[in-house]
mmCIF file of all heavy atoms in Angstrom:
data_model
loop_
_atom_site.group_PDB
_atom_site.id
_atom_site.type_symbol
_atom_site.label_atom_id
_atom_site.label_comp_id
_atom_site.label_asym_id
_atom_site.label_seq_id
_atom_site.Cartn_x
_atom_site.Cartn_y
_atom_site.Cartn_z
ATOM 1 N N CYS A 1107 4.497 1.155 7.968
ATOM 2 C CA CYS A 1107 3.496 2.194 7.687
ATOM 3 C C CYS A 1107 3.164 2.944 9.011
ATOM 4 O O CYS A 1107 2.993 2.273 9.988
ATOM 5 C CB CYS A 1107 2.255 1.626 7.054
ATOM 6 S SG CYS A 1107 1.075 2.900 6.539
ATOM 7 N N LEU A 1109 0.405 4.596 9.423
ATOM 8 C CA LEU A 1109 -1.061 4.562 9.608
ATOM 9 C C LEU A 1109 -1.517 3.121 9.837
ATOM 10 O O LEU A 1109 -0.747 2.137 9.552
ATOM 11 C CB LEU A 1109 -1.772 5.173 8.421
ATOM 12 C CG LEU A 1109 -1.435 6.607 8.078
ATOM 13 C CD1 LEU A 1109 -2.249 7.094 6.921
ATOM 14 C CD2 LEU A 1109 -1.586 7.532 9.280
ATOM 15 N N HIS A 1110 -2.725 2.973 10.292
ATOM 16 C CA HIS A 1110 -3.331 1.627 10.487
ATOM 17 C C HIS A 1110 -4.758 1.699 9.991
ATOM 18 O O HIS A 1110 -5.696 1.727 10.779
ATOM 19 C CB HIS A 1110 -3.245 1.194 11.938
ATOM 20 C CG HIS A 1110 -1.898 0.923 12.438
ATOM 21 N ND1 HIS A 1110 -1.048 1.894 12.937
ATOM 22 C CD2 HIS A 1110 -1.140 -0.202 12.458
ATOM 23 C CE1 HIS A 1110 0.106 1.397 13.230
ATOM 24 N NE2 HIS A 1110 0.115 0.125 12.942
ATOM 25 N N CYS A 1111 -4.899 1.812 8.723
ATOM 26 C CA CYS A 1111 -6.202 2.013 8.095
ATOM 27 C C CYS A 1111 -7.108 0.769 8.371
ATOM 28 O O CYS A 1111 -6.660 -0.380 8.244
ATOM 29 C CB CYS A 1111 -6.156 2.225 6.579
ATOM 30 S SG CYS A 1111 -5.194 3.657 6.237
ATOM 31 N N TRP A 1113 -9.397 -0.449 6.752
ATOM 32 C CA TRP A 1113 -9.711 -1.345 5.622
ATOM 33 C C TRP A 1113 -8.417 -1.945 4.974
ATOM 34 O O TRP A 1113 -8.455 -2.609 3.964
ATOM 35 C CB TRP A 1113 -10.397 -0.557 4.538
ATOM 36 C CG TRP A 1113 -9.653 0.645 4.122
ATOM 37 C CD1 TRP A 1113 -8.509 0.688 3.365
ATOM 38 C CD2 TRP A 1113 -9.889 1.972 4.562
ATOM 39 N NE1 TRP A 1113 -8.025 1.968 3.221
ATOM 40 C CE2 TRP A 1113 -8.903 2.829 3.987
ATOM 41 C CE3 TRP A 1113 -10.869 2.581 5.346
ATOM 42 C CZ2 TRP A 1113 -8.847 4.165 4.205
ATOM 43 C CZ3 TRP A 1113 -10.802 3.920 5.577
ATOM 44 C CH2 TRP A 1113 -9.788 4.729 4.985
ATOM 45 N N CYS A 1114 -7.264 -1.732 5.606
ATOM 46 C CA CYS A 1114 -6.005 -2.045 4.981
ATOM 47 C C CYS A 1114 -6.019 -3.475 4.429
ATOM 48 O O CYS A 1114 -6.253 -4.436 5.133
ATOM 49 C CB CYS A 1114 -4.833 -1.902 5.891
ATOM 50 S SG CYS A 1114 -3.244 -2.171 5.172
ATOM 51 N N HIS A 1115 -5.765 -3.646 3.140
ATOM 52 C CA HIS A 1115 -5.690 -4.955 2.539
ATOM 53 C C HIS A 1115 -4.239 -5.472 2.379
ATOM 54 O O HIS A 1115 -4.052 -6.519 1.785
ATOM 55 C CB HIS A 1115 -6.480 -4.994 1.214
ATOM 56 C CG HIS A 1115 -5.806 -4.174 0.162
ATOM 57 N ND1 HIS A 1115 -6.016 -2.822 0.012
ATOM 58 C CD2 HIS A 1115 -4.994 -4.546 -0.879
ATOM 59 C CE1 HIS A 1115 -5.317 -2.370 -1.005
ATOM 60 N NE2 HIS A 1115 -4.647 -3.368 -1.582
ATOM 61 N N ASN A 1116 -3.318 -4.671 2.910
ATOM 62 C CA ASN A 1116 -1.959 -5.129 2.985
ATOM 63 C C ASN A 1116 -1.450 -5.086 4.463
ATOM 64 O O ASN A 1116 -0.502 -4.411 4.752
ATOM 65 C CB ASN A 1116 -1.017 -4.228 2.155
ATOM 66 C CG ASN A 1116 -1.125 -4.557 0.686
ATOM 67 O OD1 ASN A 1116 -1.505 -5.603 0.277
ATOM 68 N ND2 ASN A 1116 -0.744 -3.583 -0.161
ATOM 69 N N SER A 1119 2.127 -5.190 5.422
ATOM 70 C CA SER A 1119 3.006 -3.996 5.150
ATOM 71 C C SER A 1119 3.252 -3.203 6.406
ATOM 72 O O SER A 1119 4.167 -2.421 6.406
ATOM 73 C CB SER A 1119 2.351 -3.124 4.096
ATOM 74 O OG SER A 1119 1.293 -2.396 4.619
ATOM 75 N N GLN A 1120 2.388 -3.355 7.374
ATOM 76 C CA GLN A 1120 2.346 -2.320 8.456
ATOM 77 C C GLN A 1120 3.568 -2.392 9.392
ATOM 78 O O GLN A 1120 4.129 -1.292 9.726
ATOM 79 C CB GLN A 1120 1.050 -2.408 9.228
ATOM 80 C CG GLN A 1120 -0.143 -2.083 8.385
ATOM 81 C CD GLN A 1120 -1.472 -2.265 9.086
ATOM 82 O OE1 GLN A 1120 -1.539 -2.847 10.206
ATOM 83 N NE2 GLN A 1120 -2.567 -1.801 8.478
ATOM 84 N N GLY A 1212 3.949 0.596 -0.587
ATOM 85 C CA GLY A 1212 4.142 0.005 0.729
ATOM 86 C C GLY A 1212 2.914 -0.631 1.242
ATOM 87 O O GLY A 1212 2.066 -1.097 0.475
ATOM 88 N N GLY A 1213 2.645 -0.397 2.575
ATOM 89 C CA GLY A 1213 3.391 0.413 3.500
ATOM 90 C C GLY A 1213 3.561 1.827 3.026
ATOM 91 O O GLY A 1213 2.878 2.314 2.102
ATOM 92 N N CYS A 1241 1.044 7.662 1.674
ATOM 93 C CA CYS A 1241 -0.145 7.951 2.481
ATOM 94 C C CYS A 1241 -0.230 9.401 2.949
ATOM 95 O O CYS A 1241 -1.145 9.835 3.570
ATOM 96 C CB CYS A 1241 -0.219 6.999 3.720
ATOM 97 S SG CYS A 1241 1.061 7.365 4.974
ATOM 98 N N ASP A 1262 -2.382 9.432 -1.372
ATOM 99 C CA ASP A 1262 -3.677 8.986 -0.836
ATOM 100 C C ASP A 1262 -4.415 10.038 -0.020
ATOM 101 O O ASP A 1262 -3.714 10.779 0.776
ATOM 102 C CB ASP A 1262 -3.472 7.790 0.053
ATOM 103 C CG ASP A 1262 -3.246 6.505 -0.729
ATOM 104 O OD1 ASP A 1262 -3.066 6.631 -1.939
ATOM 105 O OD2 ASP A 1262 -3.183 5.432 -0.135
ATOM 106 N N LYS A 1264 -7.888 9.986 2.410
ATOM 107 C CA LYS A 1264 -8.802 8.967 2.873
ATOM 108 C C LYS A 1264 -10.076 9.518 3.525
ATOM 109 O O LYS A 1264 -11.085 8.849 3.467
ATOM 110 C CB LYS A 1264 -8.068 8.068 3.858
ATOM 111 C CG LYS A 1264 -6.870 7.337 3.227
ATOM 112 C CD LYS A 1264 -5.976 6.766 4.300
ATOM 113 C CE LYS A 1264 -4.600 6.507 3.834
ATOM 114 N NZ LYS A 1264 -4.419 5.407 2.863
ATOM 115 N N SER A 1390 -3.333 0.082 -2.046
ATOM 116 C CA SER A 1390 -3.628 1.385 -1.489
ATOM 117 C C SER A 1390 -3.041 1.470 -0.133
ATOM 118 O O SER A 1390 -3.518 0.846 0.789
ATOM 119 C CB SER A 1390 -5.147 1.575 -1.360
ATOM 120 O OG SER A 1390 -5.369 2.568 -0.424
ATOM 121 N N PRO A 1391 -2.046 2.427 0.021
ATOM 122 C CA PRO A 1391 -1.688 2.673 1.391
ATOM 123 C C PRO A 1391 -2.790 3.370 2.050
ATOM 124 O O PRO A 1391 -3.822 3.556 1.480
ATOM 125 C CB PRO A 1391 -0.440 3.479 1.284
ATOM 126 C CG PRO A 1391 0.099 3.307 -0.030
ATOM 127 C CD PRO A 1391 -1.085 2.997 -0.864
HETATM 128 S S1 SF4 B 2606 -1.679 3.716 4.578
HETATM 129 FE FE1 SF4 B 2606 -1.953 1.884 3.257
HETATM 130 S S2 SF4 B 2606 -0.517 0.373 4.066
HETATM 131 FE FE2 SF4 B 2606 -0.707 1.961 5.607
HETATM 132 S S3 SF4 B 2606 -2.300 1.119 6.909
HETATM 133 FE FE3 SF4 B 2606 -3.328 2.481 5.400
HETATM 134 S S4 SF4 B 2606 -3.982 1.082 3.742
HETATM 135 FE FE4 SF4 B 2606 -2.502 0.013 4.978
#
Side-chain angles (χ1 to χ4, degrees):
C1107 187
L1109 300 184
H1110 293 86
C1111 300
W1113 55 76
C1114 184
H1115 67 277
N1116 283 337
S1119 75
Q1120 294 176 350
C1241 71
D1262 282 10
K1264 302 165 199 289
S1390 161

